[in-house]
Amino acid sequence: MRGDETLFLRPKAYGILTHLARNMGRVVPKAELFDTVWPGVFVTEDSLTQSVREIRKAIGEDLVRTVPKRGYILAADGESVPDVGSQPIVAVLRFRNEGESASALLIDGFAEDIINGIAAFGHVTVLARNSSFSFTSFERSEWPQIRAKTGADYIVEGAVRRQGEHIAATINLVDAVNSVQLWGHRYQASGEGMFPIGQDIVEDIVGRLVVRVATAGLEQAMRKPVPNLAAHELILRGTALLLDPAQTDIATARALFEEAVIKDPDSEWIGTPDGARPSRKAGSASP
């Protein structure tokens, strides 16, 4: 409705507007809109563009904003569009189930918890489940196709095996642009309750993933090499623990900063005793 006037949209345009409205203020990737409005059907990007054009004609040009190379956002009047042009897009694929068939829902829950954990961090754009779960974790040869479909800069893929109360998970972080695996880790856990085990795995994965994404982004932007990569990674891990609202851990961050100083006494960055963000050493140049 616009005042007393009833506006009409074609079904696909209405579906796009509905999804944007449910995600008001969030940049919705194009791949997510395709999977929501055209599930299981291949359509060209022109179909999406025409639908957005129809929506703009009906409700106004300024309400549906285009975020270059990212997607669209439905913004209220006068609301500024967040600067996400430099934020990496992460797609968490559905993990392969290599154990009991009855564990499929639990394994999907692991992947969905990782999606929610990354989204809470706020410095990356993570695709919604209905977009990234249209893929199962594939081999290296499939990574370019996944990037082409989702627009993701990074892919999280892996496999989980559950036998009773024992879980083994192998998780990999992939640079989708260059089809290079950046990081991989194997987790094993067992115990009386599945939820605490799963929570431990999810927290560890999210913490490491955020650090690796940040590291990869920094390496692309750096003009000179890092003197000591081990110390540099410890600093990034500590900073991530301080900045992530879901798991702020001052004590662990401080320990990581202290270990970084031991590995590289000449490092430009150190952790402050009160657990605040790392600061320059006395006498060092300004950033």
Side-chain angles (χ1 to χ4, degrees), residues 250-273:
I250 293 177
T252 303
R254 178 177 176 176
L256 289 169
F257 295 145
E258 291 173 348
E259 186 178 350
V261 173
I262 293 173
K263 289 184 176 294
D264 185 6
D266 296 324
S267 175
E268 291 183 326
W269 294 92
I270 60 172
T272 56

Side-chain angles (χ1 to χ4, degrees), residues 170-216:
T170 302
I171 310 299
N172 301 308
L173 177 63
V174 174
D175 179 344
V177 177
N178 302 308
S179 294
V180 174
Q181 180 176 324
L182 298 176
W183 164 81
H185 194 73
R186 180 175 175 82
Y187 300 83
Q188 297 190 61
S190 59
E192 296 180 357
M194 294 305 302
F195 178 77
I197 295 173
Q199 190 65 28
D200 289 345
I201 294 175
V202 166
E203 289 180 358
D204 199 11
I205 291 173
V206 169
R208 290 175 181 271
L209 175 65
V210 168
V211 170
R212 290 293 173 169
V213 168
T215 303

Side-chain angles (χ1 to χ4, degrees), residues 6-229:
T6 301
L7 306 177
F8 294 92
L9 294 172
R10 292 179 301 166
K12 297 303 183 184
Y14 183 78
I16 291 171
L17 179 58
T18 299
H19 191 71
L20 290 174
R22 288 172 177 163
N23 294 272
M24 175 77 76
R26 179 176 78 87
V27 177
V28 180
K30 294 179 181 179
E32 184 175 326
L33 291 172
F34 279 123
D35 291 338
T36 300
V37 182
W38 291 276
V41 178
F42 175 79
V43 295
T44 65
E45 191 166 330
D46 185 58
S47 298
L48 177 59
T49 302
Q50 290 181 6
S51 295
V52 171
R53 187 181 300 121
E54 181 181 346
I55 295 170
R56 286 171 171 161
K57 184 177 179 180
I59 68 174
E61 293 288 336
D62 296 333
L63 294 183
V64 179
R65 319 279 182 84
T66 300
V67 181
K69 299 182 180 181
R70 298 303 182 192
Y72 298 96
I73 181 173
L74 184 65
D77 286 324
E79 182 180 2
S80 60
V81 176
D83 180 16
V84 297
S86 60
Q87 287 188 0
I89 294 178
V90 178
V92 179
L93 308 187
R94 171 176 268 132
F95 295 154
R96 297 184 300 277
N97 181 8
E98 297 184 344
E100 305 166 351
S101 59
S103 301
L105 291 177
L106 176 66
I107 293 172
D108 281 354
F110 279 163
E112 190 166 4
D113 284 342
I114 294 173
I115 291 174
N116 295 334
I118 300 170
F121 185 73
H123 295 285
V124 297
T125 299
V126 60
L127 295 179
R129 167 186 172 135
N130 61 345
S131 294
S132 57
F133 272 28
S134 59
F135 302 94
T136 305
S137 294
F138 287 102
E139 299 297 329
R140 185 185 300 267
S141 61
E142 305 290 339
W143 294 343
Q145 298 179 28
I146 296 173
R147 170 169 168 76
K149 177 68 185 296
T150 66
D153 300 303
Y154 299 96
I155 296 170
V156 178
E157 66 91 33
V160 179
R161 178 185 297 274
R162 177 192 175 192
Q163 293 181 326
E165 292 196 353
H166 180 78
I167 288 180
T170 302
I171 310 299
N172 301 308
L173 177 63
V174 174
D175 179 344
V177 177
N178 302 308
S179 294
V180 174
Q181 180 176 324
L182 298 176
W183 164 81
H185 194 73
R186 180 175 175 82
Y187 300 83
Q188 297 190 61
S190 59
E192 296 180 357
M194 294 305 302
F195 178 77
I197 295 173
Q199 190 65 28
D200 289 345
I201 294 175
V202 166
E203 289 180 358
D204 199 11
I205 291 173
V206 169
R208 290 175 181 271
L209 175 65
V210 168
V211 170
R212 290 293 173 169
V213 168
T215 303
L218 285 174
E219 288 174 349
Q220 293 175 3
M222 282 190 302
R223 300 291 183 180
K224 57 183 179 180
V226 177
N228 188 308
L229 186 58

